[in-house]
Amino acid sequence: MAVNTFVCWPRRVVSGAGALKELGGIIKEMKKNRVIIITDNVMKEFPLIKNTMKDLESLGLTVSLFGEIGPNPTEEMVHNAVAVMNHEKPEVIVCIGGGSPIDTGKAANVVYTHGGIVNDYDIAIGGIMKIMPKLLPLIAVPTTAGTGTEVTYVGVITDTKNQTKFGVLSPLVIPDVAIIDPELTVSMPAKLTAFTGIDALTHCIEAYTSVVGYPPADALALHGIKMIYRSLKTAVNEPDNLKAREEMLVASMMAGTAFSLNGLGACHAMAHQLSAFFGVPHGLANAVLLPRIMKFNLPVQTEKFADIAQAMGVNIHGMSVEAAAQKALELVEQLSDELGVPKYLDEVGASKDKIPELVERAMRDNPITTNPRPATPEDVEKLFLESFR
């Protein structure tokens, strides 16, 4: 048998309603005084950010802010963050927001402490070997339940010149602390809650059915599916329900750890290209594609798809494995319909004319290598075509 090495667990997680109140104490424990908060261009004006800065300043900390990040972080955003860091000389980074600020913070940390440009650290060109243990401490505070990046070892950045996404990847970029506070997610709009929730579900399903099959990751992914399926609709329809919000955040974190171990699949390989070419938000891209990718993979992971159906609450006793597996697909399709996920890529701003480029890039994207069913360029082209009207 092959010998594999896995980077397993987050370093430190502080979880529960009101957990953000621990931020100042955590920084003081680190014996750091200069803090930069990295957030997005919408959240920077929220009371959450301004109040957090005031709270940290009241403890005698020097706090600066970078808040110029859009939905899909680009190399320019990373370099702009580094420019602010070069001026402010922070000793600790606090990323507050969805996946974009946290991914930007990870990549900016690498460039700030190592030099060069973010493209130098692309995993595809050996960037992992250039990242040394001299990064600043990084605290991740997710305000969406979807990406799981608060516990993963990759920051995904868009190369706008080449219209590709690449990963700044290393175990060293795992955040030192993840603060999981459901109170921070109650203001998420229903659509954002839905799409990021389906993103987390995609992480779980792809991790559970991947070719790697590492049992601890399987366990996290399968239980994550159970938690998401029972809580996502409640979180969308009852935004103030802290129990559902916390369950979604914890499931998203579990999904992040699961796919860090087991990898992902064709859904992510294809979704990355939709974000790079058309600016489709990552969670939305995954949500549109997921049912079709499940249908493609179902014949080679029938038993695992039956497990997924059971995790979603189906009593599979007395059912054939094939029927139970099909039920998993039906439940995901039903959930997508109930949450208002668009059925076709035309509805999210994508166009068929780019399919050749989308296919070519998807085939070079790392998640395609752990998809349970080997996908040829012809397969991926057909999946893209089926995703348009």
Side-chain angles (χ1 to χ4, degrees), residues 221-294:
L222 196 59
H223 195 67
I225 291 167
K226 180 178 181 179
M227 294 169 69
I228 292 166
Y229 191 74
R230 74 187 178 198
S231 295
L232 179 52
K233 285 187 286 188
T234 302
V236 170
N237 297 321
E238 303 173 24
D240 294 327
N241 188 315
L242 288 180
K243 181 180 179 181
R245 290 291 192 180
E246 183 170 10
E247 185 143 279
M248 285 302 304
L249 274 170
V250 172
S252 174
M253 177 185 68
M254 291 163 59
T257 303
F259 80 71
S260 293
L261 293 164
N262 270 1
L264 292 162
C267 191
H268 271 76
M270 294 169 65
H272 286 159
Q273 316 321 316
L274 296 171
S275 297
F277 273 79
F278 305 109
V280 181
H282 176 67
L284 176 57
N286 274 324
V288 177
L289 293 170
L290 179 59
R292 293 175 180 87
I293 307 304
M294 288 180 67

Side-chain angles (χ1 to χ4, degrees), residues 39-47 49-50 53 65-69:
T39 191
D40 63 49
N41 51 20
V42 175
M43 286 199 66
K44 68 179 181 180
E45 301 297 338
F46 284 12
I49 300 299
K50 295 179 179 180
M53 294 180 70
L65 175 69
F66 178 76
E68 303 304 323
I69 301 169

